[in-house]
DNA sequence: GAGCACTGC
């Protein structure tokens, strides 16, 4: 069977499984409540639930009849243009009453349609083409061009650069930078701030310039572009540095793009940042934890007076620049951008079922609007899958005069090959309808989009320090985010945004800005980082936004129980090692424990697997049969994992991957991955992370002077005997030392344990909360285990443990005797 | 008995 066939089949299977999905959806639409019922945002308080659903016709008496049984009677057509003008964007063609275009492919009837039935009717089935290019395209590499070719290209690009609005302000910008230590620059999208301002600075700066980006792809592609404009080889005067890839040269590079995480790492090595004369923080408005940390650190450095020569430029896209300006007491420069106008349309009434409304809106736009693709923002995977199913079901029955709709899902848990379908060019008379999560807001840019449909919703993970769990909540987006989503329609030509909420809600209900990451996340790692760079007074450290004492104390408590801090709150030598490892502190503690109990090799493998998101893809394609089939196939590859849980299963899967990999048979490897729904690229990443962890484990031990010499030699020998002989020789198979492997994990996750109760439920060791094994786990359905340990505790419809292992009560006794006595780990002062 | 948004080292 060819790849093409596979894809078409799975598409149809998706379509046939949707009624089940929808039933589930209804139950999930209940409030994602928290056990403590505090500060949560429920779906009922969302804008889409705010206005009572209106089932009657609009003023002009027209409503879309829609697809009976599927979409109900929600009047989507009443879109009014901002500010006051009422406008009906609906064309003539799709008045359901008049022409009967929708031939009642109701949900109920469609579900019974067989594959053949569907196929015969659908001569227009979209063909998907599997990408054949195996190259790793993640990173940019220097190109082979002669010096004169590069100069020609740079001159060519200079003409374009000169047309950018920002180019006119070059002298003014440099003047501000010369006169102030910190400057805040607001640059609208399309202003060219990220490429131009750093280049302006090269001429007036003697040392290196660092430009931070929140994402890796941004860092590497900006460096690529700027090196062309500058006329140099990438990695020489202009370079970049991200995890796994350093295309820069310490002596030659004047301008380096790096991720914010990389810069924070450099800060840990040199807390005066001596090698840089200028730091540019780009995309500061995104407020990631790491940029917030860097900004706080820079303020501390400037206040200390140790780097009066250091220039800092904070670049932000939205108007929240006052925050940065006040924080640094710095002037603000505003640079206008250049994007196409985007007309805004609002719903006069909100709808209760966002999926139905979005389907209707997409169908309507397809019929009434000029060419251009449609990008829809939905909160999550489930809504997207449902919408894709409905659209692909009704697509063949839509009017012939309109383009054929090609629905395409886009979210992080999709495999890279599925994601790349959005970039393929379609034959004429077809229109992409991309149904995406927030991933399309910043991370992935799709060209050809002229229309955006915005549900106004997103999913957000919120951490509760008191409970040690995270909740996944569906909540409204901010105005800033709504603008960002709208902007996606105006990148290449004038566009339109259709907001599935009223203008009143936009104005009065949506917050101006999103809550920043640092306020809704676990800050154990940030606190450890601060301890590492010598900050003792965490409460009065210059936080851009203070995370609050509770969060800090809770993080300190965790670090203390992991052994990273001593009784006085000082960082220990163990803490130093943990801070350097590129892992959450809990996992660092696991690695260090494993080293001492002789299971480092296996634990590194497992930790590397855990570090890759979406390694084991969830099976979303429709019916339960397919899911059961894949699950049982997977079980063949993890006999021990079936008994001991997901961590051991990771090890077994990875072991099999490595065996195939060592034989060099990529095709077989890929088909094994797709058969079991594993992420091939993800496994490749596991290999890279494992190598890095191995390097760090050697490096940290060698550099650590706090350990005496004998101990150091002992540890080195330990490491060598574990790592060197058989690391690259996977033909040597030793039986897994499961008790010691899992006990190492217990050292980092002792608070993430639960005991099996007589009533076959599980209750957490720390505070007796009810917890269930997540359906994605190998141990799902097992209710007779003595005790479990889990890597993550998330609350969705109820409390779930993810990445679960079966453990023995005696291990708990060994690792932490106090936990069974009900004593909580607290800071001793 | 039933399912997780995104990113970084």
């Amino acid at each position: 069977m060819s790849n093409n066939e596979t894809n078409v089949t799975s598409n149809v299977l998706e379509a046939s499984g949707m009624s089940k999905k929808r039933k589930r959806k209804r139950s999930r639409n209940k409030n994602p409540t928290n056990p403590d019922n505090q500060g949560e945002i429920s779906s009922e308080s969302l804008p889409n639930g705010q206005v009572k659903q209106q089932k009657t016709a609009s003023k002009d008496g027209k409503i879309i009849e829609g697809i009976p049984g599927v979409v109900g009677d929600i009047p989507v057509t009443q879109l009014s243009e901002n500010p006051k003008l009422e406008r009906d964007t609906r064309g003539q063609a799709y008045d359901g009453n008049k022409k009967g275009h929708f031939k009642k492919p109701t949900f109920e009837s469609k579900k019974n349609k067989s594959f053949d039935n569907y196929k015969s009717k659908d001569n227009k089935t979209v063909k998907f083409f599997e990408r054949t290019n195996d190259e790793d395209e993640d990173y940019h590499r220097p190109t082979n061009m002669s010096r004169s070719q590069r100069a020609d290209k740079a001159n060519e690009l200079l003409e374009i650069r000169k047309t950018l609005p920002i180019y006119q302000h070059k002298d003014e910008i440099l003047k501000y930078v010369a006169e102030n230590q910190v400057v805040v620059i607001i640059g609208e999208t399309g202003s060219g701030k990220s490429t131009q301002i750093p280049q302006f600075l090269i001429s007036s700066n003697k040392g290196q310039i660092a430009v931070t980006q929140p994402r890796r792809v941004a860092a590497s592609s900006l460096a690529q572009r700027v090196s062309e404009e500058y006329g140099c080889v990438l990695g020489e005067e202009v370079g970049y540095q991200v995890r796994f890839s350093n295309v820069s040269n310490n002596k030659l590079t004047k301008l380096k793009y790096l991720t914010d995480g990389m810069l924070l790492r450099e800060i840990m090595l040199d807390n005066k940042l001596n090698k840089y004369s200028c730091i540019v923080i780009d995309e500061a408005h995104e407020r990631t934890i790491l940029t917030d940390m860097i900004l706080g650190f820079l303020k501390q450095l400037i206040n200390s007076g140790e780097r009066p020569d250091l220039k800092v430029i904070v670049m932000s896209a939205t108007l929240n620049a006052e925050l940065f300006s006040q924080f640094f007491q710095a002037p603000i420069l505003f640079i206008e951008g250049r994007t196409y106008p985007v007309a805004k349309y609002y719903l006069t009434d909100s709808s209760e079922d966002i999926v139905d409304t979005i389907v209707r809106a997409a169908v309507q736009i397809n019929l009434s609007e000029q060419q251009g693709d449609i990008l829809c923002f939905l909160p999550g995977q489930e809504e997207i899958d449902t919408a894709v199913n409905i659209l692909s079901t009704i697509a063949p029955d839509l009017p012939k005069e309109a383009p054929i709709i090609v629905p395409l899902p886009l979210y992080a848990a999709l495999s890279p090959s599925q994601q790349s379908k959005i970039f393929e060019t379609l034959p004429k008379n077809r229109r992409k309808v991309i149904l995406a999560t927030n991933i399309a807001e910043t991370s992935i840019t799709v060209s050809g989009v002229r229309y955006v449909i915005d549900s106004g919703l997103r999913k957000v993970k919120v951490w509760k320090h008191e409970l040690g769990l995270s909740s996944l909540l569906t909540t409204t987006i901010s105005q800033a985010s709504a603008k960002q989503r709208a902007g996606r329609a105006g990148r290449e030509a004038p566009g339109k945004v259709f907001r599935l909420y009223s203008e009143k809600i936009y104005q009065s209900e949506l917050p101006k800005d999103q809550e920043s990451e640092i306020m809704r996340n676990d800050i154990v790692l940030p606190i450890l980082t601060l301890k590492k760079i010598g900050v003792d007074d965490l409460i009065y450290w210059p936080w851009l936004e203070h995370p609050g004492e509770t969060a800090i104390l809770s993080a300190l408590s965790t670090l203390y129980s992991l052994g990273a801090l001593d009784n006085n709150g000082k960082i220990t030598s163990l803490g130093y090692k943990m801070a350097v490892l590129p892992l959450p502190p809990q996992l660092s503690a696991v690695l260090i424990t494993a080293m001492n109990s002789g299971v480092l090799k296996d634990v590194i493998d497992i930790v590397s697997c855990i570090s890759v998101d979406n390694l084991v893809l969830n099976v979303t394609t429709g019916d339960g049969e397919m899911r059961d089939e894949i699950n049982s196939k997977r079980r063949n590859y993890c006999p021990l994992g079936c008994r001991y849980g997901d961590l051991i299963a990771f090890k077994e899967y990875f072991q099999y991957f490595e065996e195939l990999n060592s034989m060099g048979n990529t095709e077989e490897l890929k088909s094994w991955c797709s058969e079991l729904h594993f992420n091939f690229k993800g496994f490749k990443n596991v290999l890279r992370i494992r190598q890095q962890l191995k390097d760090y484990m050697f490096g940290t031990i060698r550099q650590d002077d706090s350990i005496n010499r004998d101990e150091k030699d002992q540890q080195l020998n330990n490491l060598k005997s574990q790592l060197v002989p058989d690391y690259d020789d996977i033909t040597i198979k030793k039986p897994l030392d499961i008790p010691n492997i899992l006990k190492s994990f217990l050292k980092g996750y002792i608070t993430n344990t639960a005991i099996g109760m007589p009533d076959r439920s599980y209750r957490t060791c720390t505070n007796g909360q009810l917890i269930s094994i997540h359906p994605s786990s190998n141990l799902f359905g097992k209710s007779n285990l003595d005790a479990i340990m889990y890597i993550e505790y998330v609350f969705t419809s109820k409390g779930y443990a993810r990445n679960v292992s079966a453990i023995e009560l005696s291990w708990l006794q060994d690792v932490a005797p106090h936990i069974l006595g009900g004593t909580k780990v607290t800071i001793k002062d």
Side-chain angles (χ1 to χ4, degrees), chain A residues 17-35:
Chain A
M18 61 195 170
S19 67
K20 215 175 223 176
K21 276 255 161 194
R22 310 254 315 150
K23 271 178 209 149
R24 227 185 291 143
K25 181 173 178 292
R26 229 167 286 139
S27 65
R28 280 203 59 214
N29 264 355
K30 285 181 216 150
N31 298 349
T33 41
N34 281 315

Side-chain angles (χ1 to χ4, degrees), chain A residues 151-201:
Chain A
D152 287 348
K153 174 104 196 210
N155 275 328
E156 211 176 284
L157 292 172
L158 185 62
E159 295 311 311
I160 303 169
R161 291 171 61 197
K162 282 178 178 166
T163 68
L164 288 168
I166 201 166
Y167 209 83
Q168 321 307 321
H169 304 297
K170 180 178 176 181
D171 294 335
E172 207 181 332
I173 293 166
L174 288 176
K175 184 171 155 271
Y176 265 94
V177 174
E179 287 169 1
N180 300 279
Q181 186 165 15
V182 184
V183 178
V184 176
I185 297 177
I186 306 172
E188 295 182 323
T189 36
S191 65
K193 64 180 180 343
S194 307
T195 52
Q196 302 312 306
I197 290 177
Q199 287 187 79
F200 298 163
L201 294 165

Side-chain angles (χ1 to χ4, degrees), chain A residues 660-670:
Chain A
L660 286 180
N661 194 40
S662 68
M663 292 188 279
N665 191 341
T666 312
E667 282 316 305
E668 199 183 328
L669 202 51
K670 277 187 176 171

Side-chain angles (χ1 to χ4, degrees), chain A residues 437-485:
Chain A
T437 60
N438 246 356
I439 196 170
E441 202 176 296
T442 48
S443 306
I444 296 180
T445 306
V446 202
S447 61
V449 171
R450 300 258 323 258
Y451 309 101
V452 165
I453 307 177
D454 178 12
S455 67
L457 299 171
R458 61 166 190 156
K459 276 192 175 175
V460 68
K461 206 171 193 170
V462 180
W463 174 259
K464 301 267 169 194
H465 321 96
E466 318 83 53
L467 299 167
L469 67 76
S470 50
S471 298
L472 207 66
L473 303 173
T474 302
T475 126
T476 54
I477 59 170
S478 65
Q479 290 182 7
S481 181
K483 281 179 195 154
Q484 176 75 19
R485 288 178 173 191

